[in-house]
Amino acid sequence: MGARPGPAIDLKHPEGLRPSGRGRFGPFGGQFVPETLMPALEALDQAYRAARRDPVFRRELGEILGRYVGRPTPITAAERLSEAVGAAVYLKREDLCHTGAHKINNTVGQLLLARRMGKERVIAETGAGQHGVATATAAALLGLRAEIYMGAEDVDRQALNVYRMRLLGAEVHTVTSGSRTLKDATNEAIRDWVTHVRHTYYAIGSVVGPHPYPAMVRDFQAVIGREARRQMLALGGPPTHVVACVGGGSNAMGIFHAFRRDPVALVGVEAAGEGLHTARHAASLSAGTPGVLHGALSYLLQDADGQIRLAHSVSAGLDYPGVGPEHAHLAATGRARYEAVTDDAALAAFHELSRLEGIIPALESAHAVAWVWSRRGQWPKGARILINLSGRGDKDVDQVARREAPAGAVGGGTDA
Amino acid sequence: MPNAGGDWGRPTGVRRVEAVFRGRQRAALMPYLTAGLPDLASLPRMLAALAAGGADAVELGVPFSDPLADGPALQAAATAALTAGFTLDGLWAVLERTLAQYPLPVVLLTYVNPMLAHGAARFVDRAAACGVAGLIVPDLPWAESGPLRRLTRDRGLALVPMATPNSPPGHLQRIRSGAGFVYGVSVTGVTGVRDQLAPDVLAFASRLKDAVRLPVAMGFGISTPEQAARVGRVADGVIVGSALVTAVMQDPAHAAEVATARVRALRAALDADGPDGPDGGDGDGEEGRRPT
Ligand SMILES: Cc1ncc(COP(=O)(O)O)c(C=O)c1O
């Protein structure tokens, strides 16, 4: 996707909202929050800048990532998949992180920072529950109190993750306002933060939200790309393509960041849901327009009057009507390109990777695999494709089985 | 500076907002109403109802799907207005034929995104052309507001800065350059009805008045006539939103009558409780309101 100004905002000079300089990626980003939160964002920015320079903080984070999260995660050369698509495919195995996804890289970083800032109470929003579980996990590890906001729809759909969070000692608040999904869980978490800002740390789950979150979450996830870049060189050379799924965009920024100055194609894969021609998708960059949601100027799914539209994806982790502002900038400058993959294609890839490699991917990650799969036989000679396998699919098996089974026949597949 | 709104003879929005606070003995009453509640067609009637109850200015909320500074009452109101078919073009059409004859200044409260949807410049132009007097944008902090400040200044609209109990001195210093009045957010929190005023609200209001040298209107969590009267002893204006909107939503068939009755009760409490009223100067140690 090239620079594609929306109907209302000239991207070079967004009317009424020119870059203020700080916390911007080109025109995108910023701090569009109630005045109450401005002192908190300033304090967070300062605390984070001090922490990232502090060898004690860095050592502590490094030790947790090594001995608890299980880093570095390996890269697997996916041989049978490579053969099937006609190019060398490598998988960065974030599915092997503790809790089964990259989300934990961010939560241990942010909660260490919360503890350092003297906050005892941590709140977070969650959609599918992956970030909620990762927050609850880091809170248990660090002795902090966690409260998680989750939409009522998701509480029903993801009962197992609700139980997991409670098992880990977190309190789960069911959000019944608005769409009753991630968008409104995020609104509710921000409202909680506005109300309890003095003692509460808000741990955002992706590279979204007001400055400094998009940059900070990217930095905590950038360990993925730093490791992968080194590992690829050891595996015979740099990649030609780095591919990752994009919900809010944290696993993608995490793997893109280290490659940003390399001659490597960066490809973000959004959820096309039932198709970009329908209203049921979650492809903010491919089919959205610029606007402000949850504190940042970026691309959004919205109607002509700026009302936010509901997103849809088979994958709960991609089911969000916005995207991180740095991705908007990478799209506008052309440094990264953004593609979209339908529910059906992602589900097919979910099967292919399981069958070919013995790796059940998260439905989110299956979108990245699906895009690579969709070009099988067309890859240029010498292509070396690095896919960020952001999470494992155990959490999705039940949902996929139910979706595929004829009514009332879950578990009764032909292999049984 | 000439009135860029074009219709010479009509004072700018900033002037009309300033006039609300000039030479008053008692705090100004500024009810908040969600535009399009119960529907857009009844907006002229609702505006008239607020004036009939004795309001001094009106804060009109543009409904937004994701109002993160609002509590459950105003979010429900926004959802109801959107469901009832609210559109921006519909709003402009109603305001265009209503505000020229309307006696009170109307300040629009809008989140950033609906304002950007058709372009911020166009939004400000339309608002000014319709006779809107000012804008309040709850998710546009002062630090991000420079460009919108210029746009509103050029068209004579007041861009109302907000201050909260945790605002640092530097912020209070910077918003002296605001126009119209300062919106004092009485709580660290979202809008909504509360049983009690925040304990430090009067001290905060008076600190704010000393710091900003603009009229100070207090809002968020001010619901009952008694609460309004207490805050009105110190503040130059009182904003009541959730309580009014909730009452209107509970009885949509009589929305206008309900609104008038609510505003009238608030007005009576403010007037009875002014510095010269029967309860004024009751020696409870609270600082009295200083006319601006
Ligand atoms: C495994 C996995 N991948 C990807 C995502 C999408 O988030 P992001 O785009 O921030 O990486 C999620 C979100 O829950 C997830 O669980």
Side-chain angles (χ1 to χ4, degrees):
Chain A
M1 198 191 84
R4 188 170 53 80
I9 305 178
D10 175 347
L11 287 181
K12 290 204 196 70
H13 308 285
E15 287 175 54
L17 289 173
R18 229 147 305 149
S20 59
R22 268 192 45 208
R24 295 290 182 139
F25 306 96
F28 300 104
Q31 296 180 311
F32 298 96
V33 295
E35 209 66 75
T36 315
L37 292 180
M38 292 302 278
L41 291 175
E42 180 61 34
L44 177 61
D45 194 32
Q46 281 178 16
Y48 171 59
R49 287 207 249 176
R52 62 180 291 192
R53 284 193 305 265
D54 179 357
V56 177
F57 180 85
R58 295 160 65 118
R59 195 175 328 116
E60 202 171 356
L61 179 56
E63 271 172 25
I64 294 175
L65 290 175
R67 303 206 182 129
Y68 185 78
V69 172
R71 305 210 69 90
T73 57
I75 283 187
T76 299
E79 290 181 7
R80 298 186 63 209
L81 178 65
S82 299
E83 203 172 307
V85 304
V89 181
Y90 298 85
L91 305 173
K92 177 61 172 165
R93 300 292 306 278
E94 292 302 295
D95 60 315
L96 296 179
C97 287
H98 179 44
T99 72
H102 70 290
K103 297 277 177 187
I104 188 97
N105 302 326
N106 170 41
T107 58
V108 294
Q110 285 204 56
L111 268 59
L112 263 183
L113 185 61
R115 198 175 67 176
R116 184 185 159 105
M117 292 173 76
K119 314 268 182 181
E120 299 132 28
R121 179 175 181 266
V122 173
I123 56 170
E125 81 294 339
T126 197
Q130 293 303 104
H131 174 58
V133 167
T135 302
T137 301
L141 174 72
L142 299 173
L144 299 167
R145 189 153 57 87
E147 295 179 33
I148 313 293
Y149 285 90
M150 189 170 185
E153 293 254 340
D154 294 326
V155 166
D156 287 343
R157 287 191 292 202
Q158 308 284 336
L160 200 58
N161 269 344
V162 175
Y163 183 75
R164 267 190 199 118
M165 288 183 260
R166 293 193 169 132
L167 189 62
L168 291 160
E171 197 178 325
V172 179
H173 299 291
T174 303
V175 175
T176 54
S177 59
S179 68
R180 302 152 64 95
T181 61
L182 175 59
K183 168 175 88 72
D184 288 276
T186 306
N187 290 335
E188 221 49 64
I190 294 174
R191 290 179 182 123
D192 179 314
W193 198 33
V194 170
T195 308
H196 304 107
V197 62
R198 285 192 180 91
H199 309 290
T200 297
Y201 184 93
Y202 177 27
I204 289 185
S206 191
V207 288
V208 300
H211 175 75
Y213 284 105
M216 179 174 70
V217 175
R218 175 203 67 206
D219 291 349
F220 285 136
Q221 292 291 2
V223 64
I224 303 173
R226 278 199 304 275
E227 289 174 5
R229 193 164 178 273
R230 210 175 343 102
Q231 289 165 320
M232 285 301 288
L233 293 179
L235 282 166
T240 55
H241 297 74
V242 176
V243 185
C245 67
V246 177
S250 67
N251 87 87
M253 278 318 309
I255 198 161
F256 287 176
H257 196 58
F259 293 99
R260 67 195 181 283
R261 296 200 188 91
D262 296 351
V264 174
L266 305 176
V267 184
V269 184
E270 298 189 294
E274 296 177 4
L276 295 187
H277 59 286
T278 73
R280 288 175 59 75
H281 61 76
S284 322
L285 287 164
S286 306
T289 50
V292 168
L293 176 67
H294 298 148
L297 178 66
S298 186
Y299 275 79
L300 309 178
L301 303 181
Q302 57 186 330
D303 71 14
D305 266 3
Q307 309 294 343
I308 309 303
R309 280 182 24 212
L310 291 190
H312 163 81
S313 168
V314 67
S315 145
L318 303 184
D319 201 346
Y320 179 69
V323 66
E326 192 168 5
H327 283 294
H329 185 51
L330 292 178
T333 57
R335 176 61 192 96
R337 60 193 256 225
Y338 294 86
E339 304 279 346
V341 154
T342 62
D343 288 350
D344 288 344
L347 285 162
F350 180 80
H351 281 277
E352 294 301 345
L353 194 69
S354 302
R355 201 171 49 78
L356 289 171
E357 298 292 340
I359 298 171
I360 304 173
L363 278 177
E364 293 81 9
S365 326
H367 284 72
V369 177
W371 183 72
V372 173
W373 182 260
S374 73
R375 319 202 126 201
R376 63 189 177 281
Q378 299 162 38
W379 287 99
K381 200 162 146 44
R384 291 167 59 80
I385 307 157
L386 173 63
I387 299 177
N388 194 15
L389 204 74
S390 57
R392 68 174 181 229
D394 307 47
K395 67 182 176 66
D396 300 315
V397 167
D398 189 47
Q399 182 199 346
V400 175
R402 245 185 283 195
R403 188 184 161 107
E404 290 169 355
V410 177
T414 48
D415 299 339
Chain B
M1 207 177 85
N3 178 359
D7 53 341
W8 61 271
R10 188 161 167 92
T12 65
V14 175
R15 294 264 160 73
R16 281 183 289 138
V17 173
E18 284 170 350
V20 167
F21 298 96
R22 197 168 305 124
R24 299 188 68 88
Q25 293 304 305
R26 296 180 176 84
L29 176 57
M30 307 176 64
Y32 168 95
L33 185 74
T34 302
L37 200 69
D39 52 42
L40 257 180
S42 43
L43 182 55
R45 203 156 43 84
M46 294 305 293
L47 287 172
L50 300 175
D56 296 298
V58 171
E59 221 186 281
L60 194 60
V62 175
F64 179 45
S65 55
D66 292 77
L68 50 73
D70 286 309
L74 295 192
Q75 181 169 26
T79 306
L82 290 171
T83 307
F86 176 91
T87 61
L88 276 173
D89 282 341
L91 175 67
W92 301 134
V94 173
L95 293 182
E96 211 152 44
R97 62 187 151 80
T98 311
L99 292 190
Q101 294 88 38
Y102 192 61
L104 310 179
V106 170
V107 175
L108 278 189
L109 185 143
T110 178
Y111 284 84
V112 171
N113 203 52
M115 193 174 67
L116 293 183
H118 301 276
R122 191 164 147 220
F123 187 99
V124 174
D125 278 342
R126 293 298 302 267
C130 291
V132 165
L135 294 181
I136 302 171
V137 190
D139 58 345
L140 186 71
W142 204 243
E144 293 277 8
S145 71
L148 189 62
R149 235 143 62 208
R150 284 189 288 279
L151 283 175
T152 48
R153 198 190 305 127
D154 288 350
R155 287 145 183 94
L157 293 195
L159 180 63
V160 175
M162 300 180 100
T164 60
N166 63 340
S167 289
H171 176 67
L172 304 187
Q173 192 80 41
R174 283 188 289 275
I175 60 177
R176 284 180 178 191
S177 61
F181 65 96
V182 168
Y183 193 134
V185 176
S186 76
V187 293
T188 53
V190 294
T191 60
V193 175
R194 288 171 178 81
D195 294 339
Q196 302 219 304
L197 289 176
D200 49 1
V201 58
L202 300 184
F204 170 51
S206 111
R207 184 161 58 88
L208 201 48
K209 286 194 61 168
D210 286 340
V212 299
R213 298 192 187 141
L214 279 174
V216 169
M218 300 295 291
F220 281 46
I222 301 170
S223 313
T224 67
E226 295 70 35
Q227 291 171 346
R230 285 194 63 201
V231 175
R233 277 180 226 164
V234 180
D236 304 301
V238 174
I239 299 163
V240 177
S242 296
L244 176 67
V245 165
T246 304
V248 165
M249 284 187 74
Q250 278 165 355
D251 192 2
H254 303 95
E257 294 84 339
V258 168
T260 300
R262 283 278 167 159
V263 172
R264 190 169 281 144
L266 290 162
R267 169 91 275 156
L270 283 174
D271 287 352
D273 211 280
D276 325 325
D279 296 340
D282 55 4
D284 63 359
E286 283 159 4
E287 203 179 342
R289 201 181 73 79
R290 299 179 301 272
T292 7

